[in-house]
């Protein structure tokens, strides 16, 4: 069995929705498609598809294999295109994940110029306020805030952003204004993270870092949600400056604990080592670095 051919057939079956539909797209015989899938499952030692009389569904292992196989085939297509053209020209579909507002205000406006410069590239911009799995979700690169832990990912710094602690005037009138980070323990803090529960907010006092474990009655995995709750007086929120610039300017939120504001948070482009040589990934990261050179994203929403 040719593994590349079997991988191609498997991806075609998943996207077509059935073995017979994949055979028609091929085009190849239904028997040939079935043999490729059976041989692939035998080689891997696991079931990839669950077949019924009405439809087929991916197993957990099948979904993982599909996402990785699709990424590999896409990279192969891009590489073949670049080599056949005799140059390292970016081409193919590029999937970029980024936090909602930073994607909306600081990436989306840059895309038309990038696409005009590289007409063989298409871009999918996925806006999510969570950490995406690059492999499972077939993301070529992600824009992330904060220091990146040692991992299999390549991280390249793009810019910096300030983290602001703020609350609505109505909340401060009702509950009082915290004077130091420790006072936050007696307040309702609106927490944003991937998983529910108490989290730590870090501040700086002189040259000393201060960490405060905060809790509250509202948790969300969306920055939009916690900011919306803060505006309505739901509690104290701590978010990137670009998330609340308009609300602060309009007086809907007030900054707190400015004397304890921590150093700026770095913004990185992260991608898998396997994509380091991908022309479309490398070119897009270079483009962001050039466009954001020396940038502080504090006023990102005032454009």
């Amino acid at each position: 069995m040719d593994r590349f051919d079997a991988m191609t057939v498997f991806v075609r079956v998943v996207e077509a929705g059935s073995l017979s539909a994949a055979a028609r797209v091929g085009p190849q015989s239904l028997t040939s498609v079935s043999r490729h899938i059976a041989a692939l499952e035998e080689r891997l030692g696991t079931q990839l598809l669950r077949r019924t009389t009405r439809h087929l569904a991916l197993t957990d292992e099948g979904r993982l294999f599909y996402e990785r196989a699709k990424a590999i085939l896409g990279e192969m297509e891009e590489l073949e295109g670049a080599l056949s053209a005799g140059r390292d020209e970016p081409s193919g579909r590029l999937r970029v994940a980024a936090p909602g507002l930073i994607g909306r205000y600081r990436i989306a406006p840059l895309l038309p110029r990038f696409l005009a410069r590289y007409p063989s590239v298409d871009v999918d911009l996925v806006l999510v306020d969570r950490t995406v799995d690059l492999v499972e979700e077939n993301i070529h690169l992600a824009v992330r805030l904060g220091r990146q832990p040692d991992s299999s990912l390549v991280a390249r710094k793009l810019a910096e952003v300030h983290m602001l602690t703020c609350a609505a005037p109505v909340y401060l009138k009702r509950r009082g204004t915290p004077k130091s980070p420790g006072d936050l323990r007696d307040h309702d803090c609106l927490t944003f993270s991937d998983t529910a529960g108490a989290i730590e907010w870090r501040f700086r006092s002189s040259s000393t870092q201060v960490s405060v474990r905060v809790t509250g009655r509202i948790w969300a995995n969306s920055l939009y949600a916690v900011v919306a709750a803060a505006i309505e007086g739901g509690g104290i929120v701590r978010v990137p400056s670009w998330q609340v610039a308009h609300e602060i300017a309009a007086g809907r939120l007030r900054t707190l604990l400015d004397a304890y504001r921590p150093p700026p948070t770095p913004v990185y482009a992260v991608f898998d080592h396997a994509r380091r040589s991908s022309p479309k990934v490398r070119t897009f990261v270079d483009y962001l670095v050039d466009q954001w050179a020396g940038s502080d994203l504090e006023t990102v929403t005032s454009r």
Side-chain angles (χ1 to χ4, degrees):
M1 177 192 70
D2 184 288
R3 281 182 287 180
F4 188 80
D5 286 346
M7 189 185 302
T8 302
V9 170
F10 175 74
V11 170
R12 188 183 301 142
V13 167
V14 174
E15 295 182 345
S18 69
L19 300 182
S20 58
R24 290 193 297 270
V25 172
Q28 61 189 132
S29 70
L30 178 58
T31 301
S32 176
V33 171
S34 299
R35 285 176 178 171
H36 272 93
I37 298 302
L40 184 61
E41 289 180 327
E42 182 179 356
R43 181 182 182 87
L44 296 175
T46 187
Q47 184 180 9
L48 301 175
L49 297 170
R50 292 193 183 94
R51 305 165 185 80
T52 69
T53 56
R54 292 174 177 257
H55 67 280
L56 57 82
L58 287 167
T59 63
D60 290 341
E61 293 80 5
R63 185 170 303 281
L64 177 61
F65 187 80
Y66 166 71
E67 296 294 348
R68 193 57 180 163
K70 186 175 179 180
I72 292 171
L73 293 173
E75 293 301 319
M76 284 297 297
E77 183 179 354
E78 177 186 340
L79 178 59
E80 289 174 354
L83 292 177
S84 64
R87 63 186 187 280
D88 198 25
E89 182 72 16
S91 63
R93 184 162 295 276
L94 176 67
R95 287 177 54 81
V96 180
L101 279 187
I102 204 169
R104 176 182 173 187
Y105 287 99
R106 288 304 293 263
I107 296 179
L110 300 177
L111 294 182
R113 191 183 311 166
F114 178 80
L115 296 177
R117 188 178 300 179
Y118 302 103
S120 297
V121 177
D122 298 317
V123 176
D124 293 342
L125 181 58
V126 182
L127 304 183
V128 286
D129 292 318
R130 62 175 174 80
T131 302
V132 299
D133 187 304
L134 301 187
V135 174
E136 289 192 5
E137 300 180 55
N138 192 28
I139 299 295
H140 293 94
L141 71 95
V143 175
R144 293 180 180 171
L145 279 71
R147 301 289 175 186
Q148 299 302 306
D150 291 339
S151 68
S152 61
L153 301 179
V154 179
R156 187 170 177 188
K157 186 176 179 181
L158 299 174
E160 293 183 335
V161 63
H162 289 282
M163 298 297 291
L164 301 182
T165 305
C166 48
V170 64
Y171 174 86
L172 298 175
K173 182 178 180 179
R174 184 175 75 249
R175 296 291 302 275
T177 302
K179 304 299 182 182
S180 69
D183 292 344
L184 294 173
R185 298 188 183 94
D186 299 321
H187 281 267
D188 290 327
C189 295
L190 308 171
T191 57
F192 159 75
S193 63
D194 289 335
T195 56
I199 62 172
E200 286 191 350
W201 287 355
R202 292 182 175 83
F203 299 88
R204 184 171 292 277
S205 176
S206 300
S207 59
T208 304
Q209 181 171 283
V210 179
S211 295
V212 180
R213 192 169 180 81
V214 299
T215 59
R217 300 174 65 191
I218 298 177
W219 162 88
N221 62 348
S222 165
L223 289 173
Y224 294 101
V226 292
V227 170
I231 292 172
E232 296 302 319
I236 297 174
V237 71
R238 188 165 186 265
V239 291
S241 50
W242 44 263
Q243 187 78 33
V244 290
H246 279 167
E247 284 69 27
I248 292 171
R252 290 187 289 269
L253 292 175
R254 294 179 185 171
T255 61
L256 308 171
L257 305 173
D258 289 340
Y260 299 91
R261 187 182 297 181
T265 299
V267 181
Y268 290 96
V270 299
F271 48 94
D272 192 276
H273 277 277
R275 300 192 188 276
R276 182 193 292 269
S277 59
S278 169
K280 63 186 176 186
V281 171
R282 186 178 65 251
T283 302
F284 189 72
V285 173
D286 287 344
Y287 179 71
L288 289 182
V289 170
D290 178 66
Q291 295 298 309
W292 291 1
S295 175
D296 177 328
L297 303 187
E298 177 112 25
T299 57
V300 67
T301 58
S302 65
R303 293 169 65 90

